[in-house]
Amino acid sequence: MEDFKSIIVSSGKKTVTVVDNPTSYPMIGKGKQGAVFKISPDRCVKIFPDPERCLNESQALRAAQEARIVPRLFEVGSHYIVMEYIDGPSLDQLLDSKNFLPEDMTKKILFLLKEMKRLKFTRLDAKLRHIFVNTQEELIVIDHANSFIKVDSVPTELFKDLNEKGLFSSFLEQVKQADSESYMEWRNLEKKKKKDKK
């Protein structure tokens, strides 16, 4: 097996830069925190330029291992995390292909947010592109460097992404049926949005 530890990434303005990848492992994604490479059919490695970010993300993944909302964790180093490769589309891709939000997906999103809260994540939010649908149709969240750092009690990024797809109002209507408590908390955001448009 090739040594993924030889891959070097550095911090960039918007995303990290891959300085050197002497391996044949393909890069499958990158962001502000690190770059991800597929190292086997069921595993990938995230390489970080900053060991503190690596530590933050590994702590969040460790804390959530008993819940089925994050990738399984296999190995952690000072600059890398080997985790489960999620075989499936992101929620962003899935919703683009459907053009509507199925009711069962709303229930899964609600479950995901409640699990994050139960696990004491301080950031109860995720972008649609960071939520994947695995082969068992479970929602798996990636990118956890800020799960215990940022404080977001309302999933504003998630709502923003749903709104950009024209799906936030239907999501809220489905939440009204499934979870009246969350609906009461979030409906004021919808009212505020409409007021801000005027």
Side-chain angles (χ1 to χ4, degrees):
M1 192 166 148
E2 294 177 86
D3 188 6
F4 58 77
K5 293 174 198 164
S6 61
I7 301 170
I8 301 167
V9 300
S10 69
S11 297
K13 282 185 180 176
K14 290 192 174 179
T15 64
V16 298
T17 303
V18 179
V19 177
D20 188 26
N21 179 7
T23 74
S24 61
Y25 299 134
M27 185 176 72
I28 54 172
K30 68 175 181 167
K32 285 182 188 173
Q33 318 294 345
V36 183
F37 301 84
K38 190 174 180 183
I39 58 173
S40 77
D42 64 343
R43 293 186 187 202
C44 60
V45 63
K46 187 169 183 178
I47 310 282
F48 297 79
D50 180 354
E52 194 176 332
R53 299 276 188 190
C54 182
L55 178 66
N56 292 342
E57 183 146 347
S58 68
Q59 286 174 336
L61 288 170
R62 275 197 183 104
Q65 283 301 287
E66 48 88 22
R68 195 64 189 110
I69 63 161
V70 300
R72 282 195 306 274
L73 189 62
F74 296 112
E75 186 185 335
V76 177
S78 61
H79 285 80
Y80 70 87
I81 297 172
V82 178
M83 63 189 118
E84 173 188 13
Y85 169 73
I86 307 300
D87 189 15
S90 70
L91 200 46
D92 194 40
Q93 294 166 324
L94 189 76
L95 293 176
D96 278 349
S97 71
K98 287 186 181 295
N99 286 322
F100 74 98
L101 182 64
E103 209 171 308
D104 69 319
M105 199 52 73
T106 293
K107 288 177 180 171
K108 286 176 183 181
I109 292 169
L110 285 167
F111 173 76
L112 181 76
L113 295 170
K114 284 183 188 303
E115 279 292 274
M116 289 164 91
K117 192 172 187 175
R118 183 183 70 80
L119 294 162
K120 300 197 176 4
F121 282 16
T122 55
R123 184 176 189 234
L124 306 177
D125 198 3
K127 293 177 181 289
L128 289 178
R129 64 188 171 90
H130 289 158
I131 302 171
F132 283 78
V133 184
N134 69 10
T135 49
Q136 290 84 44
E137 298 199 352
E138 299 164 313
L139 298 186
I140 307 291
V141 191
I142 61 162
D143 202 21
H144 291 281
N146 293 314
S147 294
F148 290 136
I149 307 294
K150 283 188 178 176
V151 178
D152 291 318
S153 58
V154 174
T156 47
E157 291 287 344
L158 180 72
F159 291 171
K160 190 171 121 189
D161 288 352
L162 286 171
N163 194 49
E164 282 172 9
K165 293 184 185 303
L167 296 171
F168 183 62
S169 293
S170 60
F171 169 75
L172 217 50
E173 275 305 304
Q174 291 175 9
V175 170
K176 188 178 183 178
Q177 303 302 316
D179 182 352
S180 57
E181 194 179 317
S182 294
Y183 171 74
M184 294 303 280
E185 184 187 341
W186 297 336
R187 71 179 181 156
N188 295 328
L189 295 170
E190 176 77 343
K191 284 180 185 170
K192 185 180 182 301
K193 210 158 55 256
K194 284 177 180 169
K195 194 177 169 186
D196 290 345
K197 279 184 181 174
K198 287 178 184 176

